[in-house]
Amino acid sequence: MSGSEKMRSGLTRRGFLKATGAVGALAAVGGGASLAGTAIADGNSDDGFETKVCNCTGNCAGHCCLEVDVKDGKAFRITSAHYEDPDMDQCCLKGLSHLQRLYDPNRIKYPMRRVGERGSGEFERISWEEAIAEICENWKQAQKEYGDDSILFFPGSGNLRSDTGVGYDRLRLLIGATTAANSYDNNGMTGMSDSLGYCNFIGNDWRDLRNADYCFVWGGNTTESGVGRFRWINQARKAGTRFVCIDPVYTIFASKCEEYQPVRPGTDGLLAIGMMQHIIENDMHDKETLTKLSVAPFLVKDEDGNFLRQSDLDPAVMAAKMQAMEDGTIMMFDDPVMVMGVDGTIAAAGATNDVELEGSFNVQGYAVTTAFSLLLERLEEWDMPTIVEYTNIPEETIRRYADIFANNKVTLCTGYGPDHYVNGYTFYHNVCALLMVSGNIGKSGTGTVGSDMSQPGNGWGLSNTYTVPENAKEAKTIYGVDVPRVIETGTDGESPLVIKSMFVYKGNPLSNNSNRLSYLAAWEKIPFIVDAEVYMTETAKYSDILLPVTHYFEDECVHAGNTYIRINERAVEPAFEAKGDFEIAKLLAEGLGLGGDMSYTREDFNRSLLDNDLAKTAGVTWDALKKNKIMKCWPEEFVMPDGSTTPYSIYGQGSYFSTATGRLQFYWENPAPWSKFGEYDARRECLPQWFEPDGSWYLSDEASRFPFMFTTERSKYMIHTQFGTLPVFQELEPEPIVKINNQDAETYGIQTGDYVRLFNDYGDCTLKAVVNAGCQPGMLVMDHGWQECHFVDGHYNNLTSNVQAPRYAANNWFDARVDLEIVR
């Protein structure tokens, strides 16, 4: 069978209406989707349908809960499920289109073996027994000849269910295989979590946004990337919250804001520095927040940049600390950070609030400085004229925005736009510091919203003890962005690492990673590649063995992603010969002689997830969840430090933040590099900073040869490369486009509808041009999520580099420049 044919929409308007209206007939033969269904209560209806509760678990992190109406073993209709709190009901067009995904002819139906060239999409059908035997024989041989770490597990983030990765993680540790850890959006996710605490953009409940005076939309476009969450933005607008958008592109979200301010790409972090400077220079910084909630008064040792701790001053405490390290109990050892009292005495942080915020001191021979004083020194490295020039924002605007932050309740609504540059993490570090300096954290109407729908986040009350077996082997971790370097050099940056087999699951790395051509070259050097996948993706076509995986609606599991825990029922039986990821992991373990170490059934696993005190306190057990389907797991109200109550979760409401210190951290103690490739200065990384982006910078050498910066924007019809091949969306967005400013279009003689070739030293890409004045001059904007088969030629990730800063191993998709030419 061939999968190399270009995918183009052939759906007419009449066909679209049939797909969205005449769903019963289409679903019976495996197609169609109802975009406007009827709610069915109590599990059954008068017309003989049975209603199942399922979830859309793609990585938009919307976690929409759905009702799927089933009859005669077929799914017919999809609607939003109903919560006890109707304010939580949500579902976007992607969720409603799952019938077309469930019955997509592009699904991988059987285990298959490649018979043509890699990338040809030519496979032959084989049995599960043959597939497992061939994979396990290859892995055993690789272990014998090259070592356990010669097998690479390469997961993605395409399915956020609780059951999809755990079996593979356990199997990997039993084997001792290497893992290619996530490199997507690490600048943003980890830059914020290191500063504020760990979660999916941890912050206040989205519904608290209505209590903000201002919302700064900075680097996100929720109208497209978080469609289901935009209703809370509209509620806030009606309540009087004013919206300011800072973005290089005039997005749909920008059009809904009271003010739009373009910024030069890659300079968002520098803008945050300028705003902090103005706030502090005018003595508007929130000293109470900085003193009580942040690391600002912590004493930092000049000699190594680490915090001064009690063990540094007390030999007995140091001896106990050394013993704890030897015993392996160091994680539970209490070694308080020290602060300087205003009376000149040294105390443990938290023992007193009468502390020095600024100053340098000598404590028992240690030269120390407060973290806040170090922040002040760092901020002095940039002057306002430079900030104005680089950001291309007027000084009066920068100062006015700083005044707004200092004198109002401001919520930051961000996304991953600034993430995609080598210096991307500096924005998240810096903007979190701005929240601390202005006091916009830990209170109603402040903090952050963005990726997830509410503060509880994905995984509340789920205790996964299954992943790590007692007999786990030591296993290496590299990062996905480093895979081409590892394959090319035969090292992980420090020690030899030769990859001879690769197992891909939950992702489509050949479409989604930056510098795509380097991945294609790496793929050719890996002798054996296996992909466990639902659909015939680009990565699947370049694999040697394909294992068919179930759709979301074909397996039972537990799902958490907002203030409720929900069941994901098996709405229909697995199609063709598809199996769940959990079951595939068990089959592979049995084939390797490790079945005894993976004896859990799916039922065992689901039950174990809720076997913990937190879930029990909320009355949530597996048996209760099977009965009730959707169970509230969050309190009705929250008590704030001042005794007031709020119906919404406010991050930091107990004056505690889930960071290494339990406080807000603009100073990162001893930050270690994730990647082993590249030079690294740990002392530099401790504090907010900014440096120029790499290949995209307007003053770089590349700018003279390649006049355009480029970025991509999310589509409301796709989650990365998911959903893009569905007929209902192919009619609405049939092919990728690149937007170009009208002035640049006139210079190049380009009109809407022309096809243009974008190119640079990395590669090229041919697609349709659309003239759009919302793009800045000298900047191109492409829509995100398309695969190779959708382009006339090439792929937009052929234009991108995998240059990175070692701090967070991350894909920096936007850090390159291009030129273009008309091709037809």
Side-chain angles (χ1 to χ4, degrees):
M1 64 187 70
S2 175
S4 59
E5 183 179 348
K6 297 280 185 180
M7 296 184 183
R8 288 283 184 262
S9 172
L11 192 64
T12 64
R13 175 175 172 79
R14 182 180 179 187
F16 172 78
L17 294 174
K18 287 184 177 180
T20 57
V23 71
L26 286 172
V29 296
S34 173
L35 299 189
T38 303
I40 299 176
D42 301 325
N44 292 282
S45 69
D46 293 338
D47 55 2
F49 286 97
E50 181 181 8
T51 300
K52 297 288 187 178
V53 173
C54 297
N55 296 271
C56 183
T57 54
N59 61 349
C60 72
H63 306 288
C64 298
C65 191
L66 311 171
E67 290 182 353
V68 181
D69 300 332
V70 180
K71 187 174 184 180
D72 299 328
K74 291 284 186 180
F76 277 76
R77 293 183 296 215
I78 298 174
T79 59
S80 173
H82 301 295
Y83 291 94
E84 176 186 335
D85 178 359
D87 203 26
M88 301 299 289
D89 295 358
Q90 69 171 31
C91 183
C92 76
L93 293 175
K94 295 185 289 291
L96 294 173
S97 74
H98 269 296
L99 290 184
Q100 287 194 352
R101 293 205 86 204
L102 184 63
Y103 300 113
D104 191 338
N106 197 41
R107 282 192 66 168
I108 298 173
K109 302 175 178 63
Y110 318 101
M112 293 194 288
R113 178 192 295 120
R114 179 175 59 84
V115 294
E117 295 293 322
R118 280 186 177 166
S120 68
E122 296 174 357
F123 293 86
E124 64 179 1
R125 178 179 176 180
I126 58 177
S127 68
W128 271 103
E129 291 76 14
E130 289 176 290
I132 297 298
E134 187 167 334
I135 294 168
C136 293
E137 179 181 352
N138 182 281
W139 286 1
K140 289 176 182 178
Q141 190 66 27
Q143 287 177 288
K144 180 180 178 180
E145 294 185 16
Y146 299 97
D148 297 335
D149 59 9
S150 67
I151 303 169
L152 177 65
F153 277 40
F154 200 150
S157 58
N159 189 342
L160 299 182
R161 285 168 41 138
S162 60
D163 63 320
T164 53
V166 291
Y168 298 137
D169 289 342
R170 185 177 178 89
L171 177 62
R172 177 182 60 82
L173 292 174
L174 289 169
I175 295 173
T178 302
T179 186
N182 175 63
S183 293
Y184 304 141
D185 307 324
N186 282 344
N187 285 329
M189 286 191 293
T190 317
M192 291 195 79
S193 63
D194 280 350
S195 301
L196 304 182
Y198 183 76
C199 192
N200 289 339
F201 271 121
I202 199 160
N204 295 3
D205 188 312
W206 265 99
R207 293 167 294 176
D208 180 62
L209 182 58
R210 68 192 74 180
N211 295 317
D213 299 318
Y214 283 83
C215 177
F216 271 65
V217 182
W218 201 340
N221 189 14
T222 307
T223 58
E224 311 302 293
S225 61
V227 178
R229 301 185 281 276
F230 197 76
R231 69 188 186 284
W232 289 317
I233 292 168
N234 281 330
Q235 290 173 5
R237 293 172 64 199
K238 292 178 181 178
T241 302
R242 295 179 61 81
F243 284 78
V244 177
C245 181
I246 301 173
D247 199 293
V249 181
Y250 187 71
T251 63
I252 293 178
F253 201 164
S255 72
K256 310 303 178 186
C257 295
E258 280 79 8
E259 181 175 349
Y260 166 65
Q261 174 59 57
V263 60
R264 194 186 308 277
T267 66
D268 301 83
L270 189 58
L271 174 58
I273 285 175
M275 293 167 67
M276 279 191 282
Q277 287 179 346
H278 176 82
I279 290 172
I280 294 169
E281 288 168 1
N282 290 277
D283 197 30
M284 295 188 292
H285 51 294
D286 191 315
K287 300 176 182 64
E288 183 176 7
T289 295
L290 289 167
T291 299
K292 294 181 179 180
L293 300 183
S294 86
V295 298
F298 283 14
L299 298 177
V300 180
K301 294 182 290 184
D302 292 357
E303 65 181 32
D304 59 10
N306 290 331
F307 294 133
L308 180 71
R309 298 182 181 273
Q310 190 175 34
S311 59
D312 295 313
L313 307 178
D314 189 332
V317 177
M318 178 60 77
K321 182 177 182 179
M322 293 298 102
Q323 186 62 50
M325 294 178 66
E326 184 177 334
D327 296 342
T329 59
I330 189 64
M331 296 298 293
M332 297 179 286
F333 187 79
D334 185 23
D335 192 9
V337 178
M338 310 309 288
V339 296
M340 178 65 71
V342 294
D343 60 359
T345 60
I346 296 296
T352 176
N353 289 322
D354 295 326
V355 299
E356 297 287 0
L357 198 56
E358 298 181 45
S360 296
F361 314 94
N362 189 291
V363 180
Q364 294 185 21
Y366 289 101
V368 294
T369 303
T370 67
F372 188 66
S373 288
L374 295 177
L375 174 64
L376 298 182
E377 292 176 14
R378 177 59 62 85
L379 295 179
E380 291 175 356
E381 294 183 15
W382 298 272
D383 57 54
M384 187 61 74
T386 299
I387 296 172
V388 168
E389 178 185 349
Y390 283 1
T391 62
N392 203 27
I393 297 177
E395 179 176 345
E396 56 269 26
T397 301
I398 296 173
R399 296 190 183 277
R400 179 167 57 85
Y401 287 169
D403 287 335
I404 291 174
F405 264 78
N407 297 297
N408 295 273
K409 292 189 298 182
V410 178
T411 294
L412 172 70
C413 180
T414 189
Y416 295 127
D419 168 281
H420 301 342
Y421 301 87
V422 165
N423 68 355
Y425 67 96
T426 68
F427 164 70
Y428 299 93
H429 192 178
N430 298 359
V431 80
C432 288
L434 174 61
L435 293 176
M436 300 173 211
V437 167
S438 64
N440 279 298
I441 190 76
K443 295 173 283 192
S444 178
T446 68
T448 67
V449 294
S451 177
D452 208 346
M453 68 187 301
S454 60
Q455 188 271 340
N458 189 28
W460 179 94
L462 305 187
S463 56
N464 176 21
T465 59
Y466 181 70
T467 298
V468 182
E470 292 182 0
N471 55 339
K473 294 183 179 181
E474 290 189 12
K476 290 184 177 180
T477 296
I478 60 174
Y479 289 88
V481 71
D482 285 332
V483 167
R485 295 183 183 90
V486 171
I487 301 301
E488 180 67 27
T489 65
T491 76
D492 64 1
E494 289 183 350
S495 58
L497 180 58
V498 178
I499 302 300
K500 290 297 179 180
S501 185
M502 181 166 63
F503 179 45
V504 180
Y505 55 96
K506 295 202 311 176
N508 187 9
L510 284 183
S511 284
N512 289 320
N513 276 286
S514 55
N515 199 355
R516 172 179 171 273
L517 295 180
S518 70
Y519 282 84
L520 285 172
W523 253 237
E524 287 303 312
K525 296 179 181 180
I526 302 174
F528 187 67
I529 300 173
V530 180
D531 192 358
E533 177 56 78
V534 186
Y535 307 98
M536 184 62 75
T537 65
E538 180 179 347
T539 303
K541 293 177 185 178
Y542 283 86
S543 301
D544 300 305
I545 296 288
L546 298 179
L547 301 178
V549 178
T550 50
H551 178 273
Y552 305 156
F553 298 173
E554 295 172 343
D555 277 318
E556 188 176 58
C557 69
V558 181
H559 190 67
N562 55 21
T563 56
Y564 292 80
I565 285 184
R566 295 100 70 176
I567 193 169
N568 191 94
E569 296 184 286
R570 174 177 279 187
V572 295
E573 292 298 311
F576 302 97
E577 293 185 9
K579 296 184 184 293
D581 288 297
F582 193 86
E583 287 71 27
I584 293 173
K586 287 172 64 69
L587 287 175
L588 290 168
E590 291 167 3
L592 293 168
L594 301 170
D597 292 299
M598 296 187 65
S599 59
Y600 257 35
T601 65
R602 179 177 288 272
E603 175 84 5
D604 294 333
F605 176 69
N606 288 333
R607 191 173 298 277
S608 72
L609 285 176
L610 298 170
D611 185 16
N612 62 81
D613 292 339
L614 187 58
K616 290 175 182 176
T617 299
V620 181
T621 66
W622 174 237
D623 291 331
L625 188 62
K626 287 198 293 184
K627 176 182 178 181
N628 297 303
K629 316 300 184 185
I630 303 172
M631 299 186 69
K632 192 165 188 176
C633 58
W634 218 239
E636 294 291 339
E637 62 180 21
F638 298 88
V639 180
M640 300 298 290
D642 62 3
S644 63
T645 61
T646 171
Y648 310 125
S649 171
I650 307 300
Y651 182 55
Q653 60 206 12
S655 301
Y656 176 81
F657 300 87
S658 54
T659 62
T661 62
R663 290 189 174 218
L664 299 165
Q665 299 182 156
F666 61 77
Y667 187 95
W668 296 340
E669 184 183 27
N670 194 26
W674 286 24
S675 176
K676 298 174 184 176
F677 294 91
E679 297 181 0
Y680 185 73
D681 182 353
R683 294 294 292 270
R684 185 69 185 168
E685 302 291 338
C686 290
L687 286 158
Q689 60 170 318
W690 183 84
F691 53 90
E692 297 172 1
D694 186 63
S696 64
W697 189 231
Y698 78 111
L699 298 176
S700 68
D701 294 339
E702 288 86 350
S704 61
R705 296 192 299 131
F706 302 111
F708 292 98
M709 301 180 69
F710 75 92
T711 182
T712 62
E713 62 181 0
R714 296 292 186 264
S715 165
K716 62 169 56 73
Y717 307 124
M718 288 185 272
I719 305 176
H720 304 298
T721 58
Q722 299 181 70
F723 297 92
T725 61
L726 300 187
V728 66
F729 297 140
Q730 279 274 295
E731 176 145 331
L732 299 173
E733 278 192 357
E735 62 182 314
I737 62 171
V738 57
K739 298 176 183 177
I740 182 171
N741 178 269
N742 53 311
Q743 298 175 22
D744 293 328
E746 183 177 354
T747 299
Y748 278 74
I750 295 171
Q751 298 180 352
T752 293
D754 288 340
Y755 282 83
V756 295
R757 173 179 171 261
L758 279 58
F759 60 92
N760 59 18
D761 290 338
Y762 296 110
D764 61 359
C765 174
T766 301
L767 69 171
K768 182 185 288 186
V770 172
V771 179
N772 187 310
C775 300
Q776 293 189 48
M779 187 169 183
L780 304 175
V781 182
M782 290 176 274
D783 49 347
H784 170 87
W786 300 99
Q787 300 188 68
E788 179 187 30
C789 58
H790 297 112
F791 291 90
V792 174
D793 194 23
H795 189 284
Y796 60 71
N797 271 331
N798 290 0
L799 303 166
T800 57
S801 84
N802 56 5
V803 174
Q804 60 172 301
R807 175 68 181 109
Y808 300 121
N811 290 102
N812 299 304
W813 291 277
F814 300 167
D815 219 338
R817 301 185 68 89
V818 300
D819 200 355
L820 60 79
E821 60 186 5
I822 300 176
V823 295
R824 62 174 180 175

